[in-house]
Amino acid sequence: MKIAVASEGKFVSGHFGHCEGFTVYDVDESKGLKKDFIQNPGHRPGFLPNFLKESGVNVVISGGMGETAQQLFAQNNIDVIVGAEGSCDDVVQQYLKGELKSTGSICREHQHEGHCHE
């Protein structure tokens, strides 16, 4: 399983499309957890969901995300968790323990970047 966390440094980004990049965790039951960082190639409608799908991502975690991106992930059978806050490592551990739940919030206005999950 591959989990991508929209990131700003070591923390979950408030908005998926405008994040610095994605901290990608490759979860292998026999080998543990491997972590890499992928720079955000740029916010373009519909691009990032396909980009992450092609990278083999199964789960996306973010503070906030627009409706179109959430729909594209759903169409590609990629789970989306929104409303997450804190360090990327902590939220991934919460997810793996079944303790991280999506708030289901949808960002509709980009001028509120950073406040989408409120």
Side-chain angles (χ1 to χ4, degrees):
M1 171 175 34
K2 274 192 179 180
I3 303 169
V5 181
S7 309
E8 296 294 333
K10 295 181 179 186
F11 296 93
V12 178
S13 174
H15 193 283
F16 168 78
H18 297 282
C19 67
E20 176 186 354
F22 303 93
T23 305
V24 179
Y25 296 80
D26 196 345
V27 182
D28 184 328
E29 290 181 24
S30 63
K31 298 178 185 173
L33 206 58
K34 180 182 161 206
K35 178 169 69 169
D36 289 311
F37 183 80
I38 301 172
Q39 192 73 32
N40 185 343
H43 183 269
R44 299 187 299 272
F47 176 76
L48 290 173
N50 278 330
F51 173 76
L52 292 173
K53 177 188 173 199
E54 290 170 5
S55 298
V57 169
N58 309 98
V59 178
V60 176
I61 299 173
S62 181
M65 184 183 298
E67 185 173 19
T68 301
Q70 290 189 39
Q71 289 172 346
L72 289 170
F73 282 124
Q75 290 169 10
N76 288 297
N77 297 315
I78 296 173
D79 291 332
V80 173
I81 305 289
V82 291
E85 294 181 0
S87 82
C88 295
D89 290 349
D90 288 348
V91 298
V92 167
Q93 288 302 322
Q94 290 171 6
Y95 177 79
L96 293 173
K97 293 176 186 174
E99 299 170 357
L100 186 67
K101 304 296 179 205
S102 181
T103 63
S105 65
I106 297 172
C107 298
R108 298 188 192 280
E109 300 180 42
H110 287 114
Q111 72 256 28
H112 297 295
E113 178 184 342
H115 302 285
C116 296
H117 56 280
E118 293 178 352

